[in-house]
Amino acid sequence: MVGDEFQVGKAKVCLVQGDITEMDTDTIVNAANPALTEGGGVSGTIHRKGGPKILGECKCIRATEWPDGLPTGKAVITSGGNLKARYVIHTVGPVWHGGTHGEPELLAEAYHNSLKLVVSKGLKTIAFPSISTGAYRYPIEKASRIALTTVKEFLEKEDKLDKVVFVLFTEHDLGIYKEAAKEIL
Ligand code: ADP
C-alpha cells in the first residue's frame, strides 16, 4: 500500500488506499451501526472476513452495555477474530442530514472516542476508514477535514500512539484526504 506520511507529535499519520481488513495495525476501526450487526459497507467486510467471534462479542456488548444500541459518537472494542488486526473498535458515525444536526461534532466524537479507547488499552497503532462517508452520506470533503483535524489535535496532546492510518477505499477518496492533509497536517 503506497501513500502519504506525516509526522504529528510522536506519531506518524499515513494515508493509504486499500481494504482496511488487510491492515496489520493493532486495531482497525469499524464504521458500525447502532445495533452492532454485520450491516453492509466496511462493517459487512469486517464481519465476513473476521468471522463470527466478532459478532458474538458485539451481541454481548449490546446485551450487557447498550441494550438500546450504541449511541452515535461512542466506541466499543472487540477482538479481531480472524483478521490480522488484534482488535476492532466499533464506532457509530452520524448520518448526514444537511450538517445542522450536530453532524460535525458527532463525527469528531467518533474519531476521538476511538483514539481514547485505543490508548486506554495500551495499543499503539490504529487504522480508520472514512467514517460516515458511505451509506451515511456525509460529504467526504467535509468529513476528511474533521477526521484529520480530530486526529491531529489528539496526537498533539497524547504521546502514547505510534501510528494512525487512514485507509481510503478508492483513489478518489484518497485524493480528497491528501488535499485536506496538505493543509491540516
Ligand atoms: P458509513 O455507514 O459510516 O457511511 P460505510 O461502510 O457505508 O460506512 O462507508 C464508509 C467508508 O468506508 C466509505 O468511504 C466506503 O467506501 C469505505 N469502505 C467500504 N469498504 C471498505 C473497506 N473494506 N476498507 C476500507 N474502506 C471501506
Side-chain angles (χ1 to χ4, degrees), residues 18-21 31-32 40-43 45-46 93-94 129-138 140 167-170 173:
D19 176 348
I20 200 164
T21 60
V42 68
S43 181
T45 308
I46 286 172
S130 181
I131 298 167
S132 283
T133 64
Y136 284 2
R137 304 182 314 271
Y138 206 120
I140 191 165
V167 185
L168 291 318
F169 207 37
T170 64
D173 290 356

Side-chain angles (χ1 to χ4, degrees), residues 3-52:
D4 286 20
E5 196 172 285
F6 302 82
Q7 186 76 33
V8 183
K10 293 237 171 72
K12 287 191 168 34
V13 176
C14 309
L15 308 180
V16 301
Q17 185 191 347
D19 176 348
I20 200 164
T21 60
E22 296 299 323
M23 295 299 298
D24 62 359
T25 40
D26 294 334
T27 181
I28 65 169
V29 176
N30 181 16
N33 57 66
L36 299 176
T37 52
E38 295 104 313
V42 68
S43 181
T45 308
I46 286 172
H47 282 288
R48 200 163 49 248
K49 285 180 118 173

Side-chain angles (χ1 to χ4, degrees), residues 3-153:
D4 286 20
E5 196 172 285
F6 302 82
Q7 186 76 33
V8 183
K10 293 237 171 72
K12 287 191 168 34
V13 176
C14 309
L15 308 180
V16 301
Q17 185 191 347
D19 176 348
I20 200 164
T21 60
E22 296 299 323
M23 295 299 298
D24 62 359
T25 40
D26 294 334
T27 181
I28 65 169
V29 176
N30 181 16
N33 57 66
L36 299 176
T37 52
E38 295 104 313
V42 68
S43 181
T45 308
I46 286 172
H47 282 288
R48 200 163 49 248
K49 285 180 118 173
K53 186 160 186 272
I54 300 176
L55 189 61
E57 289 176 47
C58 283
K59 282 185 178 154
C60 183
I61 291 169
R62 267 290 314 261
T64 57
E65 293 172 47
W66 299 104
D68 297 328
L70 186 65
T72 306
K74 296 270 188 282
V76 297
I77 191 164
T78 66
S79 73
N82 303 326
L83 297 171
K84 291 177 192 162
R86 282 153 62 211
Y87 297 93
V88 178
I89 288 177
H90 306 261
T91 189
V92 180
V95 177
W96 179 257
H97 289 297
T100 55
H101 296 76
E103 293 96 328
E105 293 78 13
L106 290 166
L107 185 61
E109 263 185 53
Y111 282 99
H112 189 79
N113 284 327
S114 299
L115 291 163
K116 273 203 319 203
L117 193 49
V118 79
V119 168
S120 77
K121 297 287 173 192
L123 304 170
K124 298 286 181 192
T125 59
I126 179 169
F128 283 103
S130 181
I131 298 167
S132 283
T133 64
Y136 284 2
R137 304 182 314 271
Y138 206 120
I140 191 165
E141 286 82 2
K142 291 185 169 66
S144 59
R145 301 183 69 83
I146 292 169
L148 292 165
T149 304
T150 306
V151 165
K152 181 182 181 217
E153 287 174 1

